[in-house]
Amino acid sequence: MVFSKSNVDKAPGEKISDRNNVKKQFPVTGMSCASCAANIESTLNRQSGVVKASVNLASQIATLEFNPSEITPQDLKESVTSIGYDLIIDESENAREELENLKQKKHRSLKNRTMLAIILAIPLLLVSMVFMNIPYANYIMWVLATPIVFWSGRSFFINAWKQIRHGSTTMDTLVSLSTGIAYIFSVFNTLIPGFWHSRGLHAHVYFEASGVVIALVLLGRLLEEGAKANTSSAIKKLIGLQPKTVFKVLASGETREFLISKVKPGDIILVRPGEQIPVDGKVTLGNSYVDESMITGEPVPVLKENGSEVFAGTVNQKGSFRFVAEKVGAETLLSSIIRMVQEAQGSKAPVQKLVDKVAGIFVPVVVGISIITLLIWWLAGGENGFVRGLLSMITVLVIACPCALGLATPTAIMVGIGKGAENNILIRDAEALETAHKMNVIVLDKTGTITEGKPSVERIEWKSEEDKKRGTNILFSLERISEHPLAEAVVKHLNDKALTVPVTGVASLSGRGIAGIHDGKQYYAGGLKLMNEKGIGIESRLKEFGEREEENAGTVIFFAGSKNALAVMSVSDKIRSSSGEAVSQFGKMGIDVYLVTGDNQKTAEAVARICGITSFKAGMMPSEKAEFVKQLQSRGKIVGMAGDGINDSQALATADISIAMGKGSDIAIDAARMTIIGNDLSVIPSAIRLSRNTVRTIRQNLFWAFIYNIIGIPIAAGILYPFNGFLLNPMIAGAAMALSSISVVSNSLRLKYSK
């Protein structure tokens, strides 16, 4: 749950009388379509004390800004339950687990009901269209349709009844009315066909209309559920970074284990090798290297010594240290990242706003038209006016059933996702597809996105061949003892080229390097600072090599004896071969490229220059990356963000279109709307082209779905009857409804062959 203060200037006519507003997110249960979200949203916005309410159908979250002195969460819950839904205001751990279990149970139920409906709908359709003259055809169709209507489709009728009781309508209303009336009408015609025969009319049955409609709508909902099933997994993984217990150092000097909830600012915490840091604070005793890749995105752990800041969720490496807790609970940097991802995932997708408007009008209008149709026929249709009116009413409800409308988006998304997978792009949802084609700015993380994210030795330049033969084993043995993470890259590079030799008198020179003695001689491995400190001479060739490598984004390590440097190594994080080509393609597509990194200015400048990027930001914390994205958005830009680390998840959640590298952090992947499978940046332009094709297909589908209803509903109501005596049979209406769905699916399948 999100809790944050919000100061809102009071506007004329605003319901809130002071500035003590809070912003919270609550899960909502019972929603099945866009109309449900619109109903809940309008109900909440009408409550006194609510500044703004937004309900997201995809994430099943209501985001509320309200004044707690005027309205309580319990009041909000009661307003939602009064219209047939529920608002979960319990913020305990047990409540979260129960809600997750409920979601999983509902998804399994939907899947089972959809599978049964499809299995029974296929023979039902065959009997009605092909084998309609076999003995007992009507009874066979009755048997097949009954489980679909009363088991698979029961949720439509239950939800529709709930909404009708509270004076509202949803897509469930239309589905239940059309399928329910068609089913009851068909049962009547099967049992009492003489009623129609005596009036000169044939007793048609429409079991296939009720069964196929329910099967298709359920399939559409299952597709939609699949797209949004994992929206909370990123939050779970982020929360999982917080350890459950900590070791607190008491005033007596004793160390005891406590629940993390018992930690307060000022407490002294002990962190042992391999443990996660539980809260934010400053080191007071000891030193170690800490993996801060979740914060900075950089693969090289950072030295922490007295006075250094440490952050919750980062991982201690080999040493132990104590630190004083400064920020705990919701105040930690990790908690702020969790909060940002929660808020971004709870926001409403642009495409949903259009669906909300359409759904709010479509259902009551169609129901109204069907009732008016019955009344007009009854009053002006002559002797058989009521019969024809009833048939026309059913026909209107059947032909207007929103299958095409409901399938327009999910089928295009499904095909688009498949097409994306062929191009090494995993597309998460409709929002990504809708927004990506508008992207005019992309922000790229450095480590793991433009670069490979694995430091390695690019080259070792020796002073002489003799020094190489004599020094390789010593360098290998010395670096094996070192705890510095860059030493691991050196060891890995020399692993099959060197042997271990005895090294004594080893001294770790914090932040500078390592020293040791072999065969009575002193040796050093470290940076230029250590060389200068020890007065070690570096010949011009080695010095020039080091300077050149630094300009090319490499980190330089020297290996030296007591007086002279024997070798210089370049350790770097390789730039991906595809990065330069991707930047070039972005430029051709009119997309501006920005590089953002937690690394230093010099490295960022070198990487940007090599890749052809003109704009970059160095030394960026996660919140600063997200803030930079917001700055670009404030200028009217549609911003894409590509990253691979936990440190990028905040910016990914903030961006209009977020893209995670497939071999990066699971949390970054979960927070993103798109994932690159294989870390090849050059496929992002392909994703943008796919987005354009998919959005165009969705718009075509929606256009034909609406045209179908605009033309079909008046004909179903009998508008042509006064001119040529044509009255649309519900059987043909059912076929037309199925045809509209088939046309939408067929149009979506064209995406497979687009380039």
Side-chain angles (χ1 to χ4, degrees):
M1 307 295 175
V2 176
F3 181 90
S4 63
K5 293 290 182 184
S6 175
N7 292 326
V8 180
D9 291 329
K10 186 177 181 296
E14 187 176 306
K15 291 180 282 187
I16 302 305
S17 58
D18 61 49
R19 296 169 178 247
N20 298 319
N21 303 329
V22 297
K23 190 175 183 182
K24 280 197 174 189
Q25 289 186 316
F26 298 107
V28 181
T29 62
M31 291 194 296
S32 59
C33 71
S35 293
C36 298
N39 287 340
I40 297 169
E41 192 171 292
S42 61
T43 298
L44 288 169
N45 277 315
R46 286 196 301 268
Q47 304 307 306
S48 176
V50 174
V51 177
K52 184 181 179 183
S54 176
V55 179
N56 187 317
L57 176 65
S59 63
Q60 305 278 297
I61 290 288
T63 302
L64 289 136
E65 189 174 345
F66 62 96
N67 188 326
S69 64
E70 292 193 31
I71 190 167
T72 66
Q74 183 61 38
D75 296 330
L76 295 168
K77 179 183 177 72
E78 289 173 3
S79 70
V80 173
T81 54
S82 71
I83 57 170
Y85 307 94
D86 196 11
L87 195 70
I88 308 300
I89 60 172
D90 187 347
E91 301 180 71
S92 68
E93 190 67 33
N94 288 339
R96 280 195 289 267
E97 290 178 6
E98 287 176 13
L99 180 64
E100 189 59 34
N101 291 335
L102 178 63
K103 286 181 180 178
Q104 291 176 2
K105 185 178 178 182
K106 286 183 70 177
H107 183 74
R108 285 195 300 269
S109 173
L110 175 62
K111 186 177 180 180
N112 293 336
R113 288 186 289 116
T114 303
M115 291 303 103
L116 177 70
I118 292 171
I119 290 168
L120 295 177
I122 293 170
L124 176 61
L125 198 59
L126 287 173
V127 172
S128 67
M129 298 292 185
V130 182
F131 304 108
M132 69 284 288
N133 294 321
I134 63 173
Y136 306 107
N138 287 1
Y139 289 93
I140 293 171
M141 288 188 285
W142 187 3
V143 169
L144 291 169
T146 299
I148 300 177
V149 173
F150 289 102
W151 191 75
S152 294
R154 69 183 186 276
S155 62
F156 296 121
F157 298 93
I158 293 169
N159 292 337
W161 174 243
K162 284 181 182 178
Q163 306 320 314
I164 290 170
R165 284 175 56 203
H166 298 101
S168 61
T169 58
T170 65
M171 290 291 187
D172 289 336
T173 311
L174 203 54
V175 174
S176 59
L177 277 175
S178 60
T179 57
I181 292 174
Y183 179 85
I184 293 169
F185 189 69
S186 300
V187 171
F188 180 85
N189 289 358
T190 300
L191 296 176
I192 314 174
F195 178 83
W196 301 109
H197 295 161
S198 64
R199 290 162 174 78
L201 297 169
H202 186 70
H204 286 290
V205 295
Y206 308 104
F207 288 118
E208 85 290 344
S210 60
V212 173
V213 164
I214 287 173
L216 288 172
V217 175
L218 283 173
L219 177 61
R221 290 195 175 170
L222 185 63
L223 293 172
E224 292 167 5
E225 284 293 319
K228 65 188 184 186
N230 296 318
T231 53
S232 62
S233 57
I235 302 298
K236 288 180 190 173
K237 288 173 183 173
L238 282 169
I239 292 172
L241 291 173
Q242 298 171 313
K244 301 283 190 253
T245 61
V246 301
F247 287 95
K248 193 189 297 187
V249 181
L250 305 179
S252 62
E254 180 188 358
T255 302
R256 286 177 56 191
E257 191 172 11
F258 289 86
L259 291 173
I260 193 170
S261 58
K262 301 296 183 184
V263 177
K264 299 175 182 177
D267 287 345
I268 301 297
I269 308 297
L270 171 66
V271 181
R272 299 176 301 186
E275 291 183 344
Q276 287 179 319
I277 293 168
V279 295
D280 295 357
K282 280 187 180 177
V283 176
T284 58
L285 182 67
N287 63 75
S288 179
Y289 285 93
V290 173
D291 180 357
E292 291 190 336
S293 58
M294 65 149 286
I295 300 295
T296 64
E298 302 311 315
V300 179
V302 179
L303 174 67
K304 297 295 179 181
E305 48 194 357
N306 193 26
S308 298
E309 288 187 327
V310 290
F311 302 98
T314 57
V315 182
N316 184 30
Q317 298 291 284
K318 299 177 181 178
S320 296
F321 62 88
R322 296 180 181 183
F323 73 96
V324 59
E326 292 185 338
K327 294 180 179 179
V328 302
E331 300 301 317
T332 65
L333 185 61
L334 176 60
S335 293
S336 70
I337 294 173
I338 293 172
R339 187 159 55 245
M340 171 63 78
V341 175
Q342 277 181 318
E343 289 178 351
Q345 288 190 335
S347 61
K348 184 171 289 189
V351 69
Q352 191 178 323
K353 295 176 183 176
L354 173 63
V355 176
D356 286 349
K357 292 176 183 176
V358 172
I361 300 169
F362 186 76
V363 178
V365 165
V366 170
V367 173
I369 290 172
S370 68
I371 294 170
I372 291 169
T373 299
L374 173 62
L375 292 174
I376 291 175
W377 273 104
W378 194 0
L379 296 173
E383 185 179 350
N384 291 318
F386 176 77
V387 174
R388 289 196 174 101
L390 185 61
L391 287 171
S392 296
M393 179 183 180
I394 294 170
T395 306
V396 167
L397 291 169
V398 169
I399 205 166
C401 192
C403 288
L405 193 61
L407 290 171
T409 298
T411 53
I413 292 170
M414 185 172 67
V415 177
I417 287 172
K419 182 70 174 177
E422 293 173 13
N423 291 282
N424 295 327
I425 289 283
L426 177 63
I427 301 167
R428 294 280 307 262
D429 55 26
E431 182 179 3
L433 289 172
E434 184 184 9
T435 310
H437 77 289
K438 302 175 186 175
M439 187 197 304
N440 49 29
V441 170
I442 187 161
V443 177
L444 302 176
D445 172 52
K446 180 182 76 69
T447 304
T449 302
I450 290 178
T451 67
E452 293 179 353
K454 298 175 182 177
S456 60
V457 175
E458 295 299 307
R459 186 178 167 192
I460 301 179
E461 187 74 14
W462 289 90
K463 184 180 179 183
S464 67
E465 277 297 317
E466 186 179 341
D467 290 322
K468 180 178 180 181
K469 289 178 183 177
R470 188 177 70 251
T472 299
N473 291 341
I474 302 170
L475 172 62
F476 175 72
S477 302
L478 188 62
E479 292 287 41
R480 278 192 68 181
I481 301 168
S482 174
E483 292 184 357
H484 196 286
L486 288 180
E488 295 179 15
V490 177
V491 171
K492 187 177 180 180
H493 181 76
L494 296 175
N495 197 44
D496 57 351
K497 304 171 187 174
L499 299 172
T500 304
V501 295
V503 179
T504 59
V506 176
S508 181
L509 308 171
S510 296
R512 293 166 293 160
I514 191 170
I517 297 170
H518 171 69
D519 199 19
K521 295 179 181 178
Q522 183 73 54
Y523 292 94
Y524 300 97
L528 183 61
K529 183 179 179 181
L530 178 62
M531 300 298 106
N532 292 337
E533 182 184 302
K534 299 298 179 181
I536 292 169
I538 306 172
E539 70 171 39
S540 58
R541 180 172 60 86
L542 296 183
K543 187 175 284 187
E544 287 171 5
F545 172 83
E547 290 172 352
R548 190 166 60 250
E549 290 302 308
E550 282 188 338
E551 288 176 1
N552 291 321
T555 299
V556 173
I557 300 173
F558 290 93
F559 173 59
S562 58
K563 294 182 180 179
N564 296 303
L566 305 176
V568 60
M569 293 158 278
S570 172
V571 181
S572 67
D573 188 6
K574 278 186 179 179
I575 295 173
R576 298 185 192 280
S577 57
S578 61
S579 295
E581 172 60 23
V583 172
S584 175
Q585 286 191 50
F586 287 131
K588 291 175 183 176
M589 297 177 76
I591 298 173
D592 297 329
V593 182
Y594 289 85
L595 167 66
V596 295
T597 178
D599 213 336
N600 63 70
Q601 181 80 9
K602 197 169 185 179
T603 301
E605 186 177 357
V607 171
R609 185 183 68 253
I610 293 167
C611 294
I613 299 172
T614 56
S615 303
F616 65 90
K617 295 275 186 180
M620 302 280 277
M621 295 290 280
S623 58
E624 292 172 327
K625 290 183 181 181
E627 188 59 38
F628 179 63
V629 170
K630 288 180 181 177
Q631 288 174 14
L632 293 171
Q633 290 170 329
S634 68
R635 298 182 214 159
K637 301 292 187 181
I638 305 298
V639 182
M641 169 72 192
D644 78 314
I646 297 171
N647 65 298
D648 300 317
S649 61
Q650 195 171 342
L652 286 168
T654 305
D656 297 296
I657 180 72
S658 46
I659 306 164
M661 308 304 288
K663 292 182 181 177
S665 147
D666 287 344
I667 293 163
I669 292 169
D670 288 341
R673 299 295 185 186
M674 288 187 181
T675 300
I676 298 176
I677 305 169
N679 293 317
D680 186 354
L681 270 183
S682 64
V683 302
I684 296 180
S686 298
I688 296 169
R689 285 190 288 272
L690 176 63
S691 167
R692 291 170 179 168
N693 291 335
T694 307
V695 168
R696 184 165 57 248
T697 301
I698 289 172
R699 288 173 178 170
Q700 289 169 352
N701 288 349
L702 290 171
F703 171 79
W704 287 113
F706 280 116
I707 286 294
Y708 158 79
N709 279 297
I710 290 169
I711 296 173
I713 290 174
I715 293 175
I719 197 171
L720 296 178
Y721 188 82
F723 305 102
N724 57 13
F726 178 78
L727 190 62
L728 187 64
N729 191 298
M731 183 79 165
I732 299 172
M737 179 277 299
L739 185 62
S740 71
S741 299
I742 292 168
S743 67
V744 162
V745 174
S746 301
N747 190 48
S748 297
L749 289 173
R750 289 173 55 246
L751 271 173
K752 284 188 175 182
Y753 309 104
S754 64
K755 293 183 179 179

